[in-house]
Amino acid sequence: MASRFSDLVEDARLSVRSLIEYGENLFNPTVRLGVTGLSRAGKTVFITALVHGLLRGGRFPVFESLASGRIASARLSPQPDDAVPRFGYEGHVRALIDARRWPASTTDISELRLVIDYQRQNTASRTLTLDLVDYPGEWLLDLPLLTRSYEQWAAESLALSRREPRARLAAAWHAHLATLDPRAREDEQATLIAARLFTDYLRACRDERFAMSLLPPGRFLMPGNLAGSPALTFAPLDVPPDGAAPDGSLWAMMRRRYDAYKDAVVRPFFRDHFTRLDRQIVLVDALAAFNAGPEAVTDLEGALSGILDCFNVGRGTFFSALLRPRIDRILFAATKADHLHHTSHDRLEAILRRMVERAVSRAEFAGAAVDVVAMAAVRATREAMVQRGRDRLPSILGTPEAGENAGGEVFDGATEVATFPGDLPDRLDELFAGGDAFQGLTAAASEHANFRFLRFRPPQFAREDGAEPALPHIRLDRALQFLIGDRLQ
Ligand SMILES: Nc1nc2c(ncn2[C@@H]2O[C@H](COP(=O)(O)OP(=O)(O)OP(=O)(O)O)[C@@H](O)[C@H]2O)c(=O)[nH]1
Ligand SMILES: [Mg+2]
């Protein structure tokens, strides 16, 4: 009963906040764009490139309002939430352009506000405010926990960990789990060991050879200021999904901490960030999964569908907007398309479309506009045809990061090379049936893997007369046109 009452209070608070934001929106049109993606999907790079393109004026022929000169200016402005850190835009741009370094993994939430002055097609002057939020991708994995009890989560996590390639990475944790009696008295030491072994297992699954995506709870991998707290010290036990924990038992302790994790960590993130979004771009790094193998592709698909079920999509009516804003546009973007020759972009797009097919039809049914695109927010490569024996292979040229390797060669981070990463499969039914549709690093040594998508350094940017260079990209303009083009008409 207590939780029902607190849900009611929460709903009332959300409605009041929506009402205030709805009123502000009438005078000061605002788009709150959610940039969603699992860790390393490319969120921070995307936000940096988008803001740079709007501030500097990027080469965006498909972004109509900019290409036709109707955008008079864009500027950064103080963000709306005082308690959220500011997105480190300037640092990210300088690292990208001057040091040719990508941003480090994001460890906390941050926010940036951009104000765009533009001319409507009837020549009246208007302003659109764009709010962007960046956060660590790991946090996203937690959203599906909101609808799961401890017992359900434990059963799902255990079932998953008994499948290959996870099972071999879970051996130490499973061995410890076998020594635990969930109905025995609560035991802090046993819990600490279980949480540590479970976290080690999650971390091992994330290694690029396995590239597993479905790894909740997210803060176990990215704990931030909660490291070592009881809310992060629990693990799955082998308990029945519908059983009841005896008072004072290990099981009751784990369950209490899992609930604390949801209350203290997951719910605030969902409430303060996800329920306020108007539009979403969902970034997906499908190529990292292809490097690892068919198991990683299936796992990525599972992780995405769990997350996308949590979106509040559909065209808002006046009354529903008062209760909660809804997402009326979603763009699914396969990132890092610059790792492929352009002749493979259609396949990459088709693969992503297939991965998110259920979410797309649900969103379209609810009245939202949906699109899928293969994109690179910052293009790090060029294209070339390379002669290998009798074949001319569509290849890409770029500077692999120091330490990357392919075909027995380890790269130094300074030399440019031409690579042929492999043709993406076109028979999608086979691919998504799981099994052994192709070979990746999970099952084979790197020289036998079917794909090898290397990590490239950011490109050498061309500066004309010392001016700030435009960042090269692939279809970032198409993404922008879809996401905010209609609000700049
Ligand atoms: N070639 C290329 N690589 C990219 C691009 N975007 C991202 N990357 C690579 O992907 C890595 C991760 O990108 P981020 O933008 O930091 O990813 P993120 O989603 O913010 O990741 P977290 O902060 O860990 O959640 C980068 O370090 C780059 O190696 C792109 O447009 N092109
Ligand atoms: Mg990031």
Side-chain angles (χ1 to χ4, degrees):
M1 204 59 206
S3 80
R4 287 246 181 93
F5 180 69
S6 69
D7 282 353
L8 279 179
V9 172
E10 177 124 331
D11 268 354
R13 266 183 40 198
L14 285 177
S15 304
V16 170
R17 190 184 65 193
S18 302
L19 191 56
I20 294 170
E21 288 182 350
Y22 191 90
E24 283 172 355
N25 214 352
L26 290 178
F27 297 102
N28 182 13
T30 302
V31 171
R32 207 172 158 87
L33 176 64
V35 181
T36 292
L38 296 170
S39 73
R40 317 312 287 149
K43 299 178 294 297
T44 306
V45 171
F46 171 80
I47 296 177
T48 305
L50 178 156
V51 173
H52 189 264
L54 285 171
L55 291 181
R56 182 211 172 271
R59 299 204 178 98
F60 289 162
V62 178
F63 184 37
E64 185 274 329
S65 46
L66 187 69
S68 65
R70 289 193 298 106
I71 291 189
S73 71
R75 60 202 140 84
L76 295 176
S77 156
Q79 64 194 51
D81 300 294
D82 292 331
V84 176
R86 182 176 179 279
F87 179 76
Y89 167 72
E90 294 78 4
H92 295 320
V93 170
R94 294 290 37 109
L96 206 58
I97 295 180
D98 300 338
R100 292 181 65 193
R101 262 193 296 107
W102 300 108
S105 245
T106 306
T107 55
D108 201 355
I109 193 161
S110 66
E111 188 176 47
L112 196 68
R113 172 167 274 191
L114 196 72
V115 175
I116 305 169
D117 297 315
Y118 69 101
Q119 220 169 36
R120 295 199 59 182
Q121 274 166 339
N122 64 11
T123 72
S125 292
R126 287 281 186 278
T127 297
L128 179 73
T129 300
L130 183 63
D131 284 336
L132 298 153
V133 180
D134 190 28
Y135 60 89
E138 287 84 355
W139 295 10
L140 197 61
L141 293 167
D142 288 336
L143 296 187
L145 301 187
L146 283 174
T147 53
R148 279 171 182 67
S149 68
Y150 170 74
E151 290 74 17
Q152 288 168 325
W153 167 73
E156 282 176 17
S157 300
L158 262 173
L160 207 58
S161 72
R162 288 183 175 133
R163 282 194 227 145
E164 285 300 340
R166 289 172 179 255
R168 69 179 116 138
L169 306 173
W173 166 50
H174 282 172
H176 180 257
L177 180 66
T179 67
L180 298 178
D181 173 4
R183 291 183 167 77
R185 274 186 63 77
E186 59 177 41
D187 177 346
E188 181 74 34
Q189 281 312 313
T191 309
L192 279 168
I193 296 172
R196 180 170 55 73
L197 292 173
F198 178 61
T199 309
D200 289 347
Y201 148 74
L202 293 178
R203 206 169 282 128
C205 288
R206 191 165 65 162
D207 183 276
E208 69 165 3
R209 277 177 303 148
F210 306 104
M212 296 284 121
S213 303
L214 199 54
L215 304 167
R219 302 280 169 125
F220 280 40
L221 294 171
M222 184 60 79
N225 57 5
L226 289 173
S229 67
L232 257 59
T233 311
F234 62 92
L237 289 172
D238 204 349
V239 291
D242 51 357
D247 283 348
S249 63
L250 185 65
W251 178 0
M253 177 172 171
M254 296 280 192
R255 167 191 239 194
R256 195 169 60 240
R257 291 181 173 186
Y258 173 85
D259 288 339
Y261 180 80
K262 287 206 306 190
D263 286 342
V265 175
V266 190
R267 207 159 273 130
F269 176 57
F270 186 66
R271 179 189 64 212
D272 297 338
H273 175 47
F274 265 82
T275 56
R276 292 164 73 191
L277 299 175
D278 307 300
R279 305 227 157 145
Q280 275 272 16
I281 176 165
V282 180
L283 302 174
V284 181
D285 180 2
L287 301 179
F290 275 97
N291 265 340
E295 303 90 343
V297 174
T298 317
D299 203 78
L300 175 60
E301 187 192 14
L304 286 172
S305 76
I307 292 160
L308 298 174
D309 281 347
C310 301
F311 284 14
N312 191 24
V313 289
R315 214 192 313 263
T317 60
F318 175 76
F319 291 106
S320 69
L322 287 185
L323 289 171
R324 291 250 169 118
R326 276 164 183 267
I327 296 162
D328 62 354
R329 252 165 209 254
I330 307 182
L331 179 64
F332 293 97
T335 54
K336 311 179 195 177
D338 58 330
H339 288 60
L340 291 168
H341 194 265
H342 74 270
T343 46
S344 293
H345 289 176
D346 286 352
R347 281 192 190 176
L348 180 59
E349 221 173 271
I351 288 167
L352 179 61
R353 198 176 283 277
R354 174 65 184 265
M355 260 185 196
V356 296
E357 156 176 274
R358 203 164 54 90
V360 168
S361 37
R362 212 168 56 91
E364 282 177 341
F365 180 73
V370 183
D371 201 3
V372 180
V373 65
M375 177 187 86
V378 176
R379 178 178 193 164
T381 66
R382 291 170 290 128
E383 299 188 341
M385 295 301 283
V386 171
Q387 195 80 35
R388 279 240 186 102
R390 287 194 179 170
D391 298 328
R392 275 170 64 75
L393 298 175
S395 304
I396 50 172
L397 297 172
T399 312
E401 297 271 7
E404 286 286 277
N405 65 81
E409 190 180 349
V410 180
F411 300 106
D412 62 2
T415 318
E416 194 174 68
V417 300
T419 65
F420 172 67
D423 275 328
L424 289 177
D426 57 351
R427 295 225 288 271
L428 299 188
D429 287 334
E430 264 171 43
L431 177 64
F432 287 101
D436 48 6
F438 64 94
Q439 255 196 351
L441 297 177
T442 301
S446 78
E447 56 274 26
H448 299 301
N450 291 110
F451 304 105
R452 195 69 188 108
F453 299 106
L454 296 170
R455 271 191 296 266
F456 291 101
R457 286 184 64 192
Q460 194 92 52
F461 296 97
R463 281 176 196 270
E464 287 146 22
D465 308 328
E468 180 76 1
L471 307 184
H473 64 88
I474 298 172
R475 299 191 198 94
L476 180 59
D477 52 347
R478 188 175 133 195
L480 271 170
Q481 179 64 21
F482 180 79
L483 290 167
I484 55 171
D486 63 316
R487 300 294 301 267
L488 294 165
Q489 290 284 325

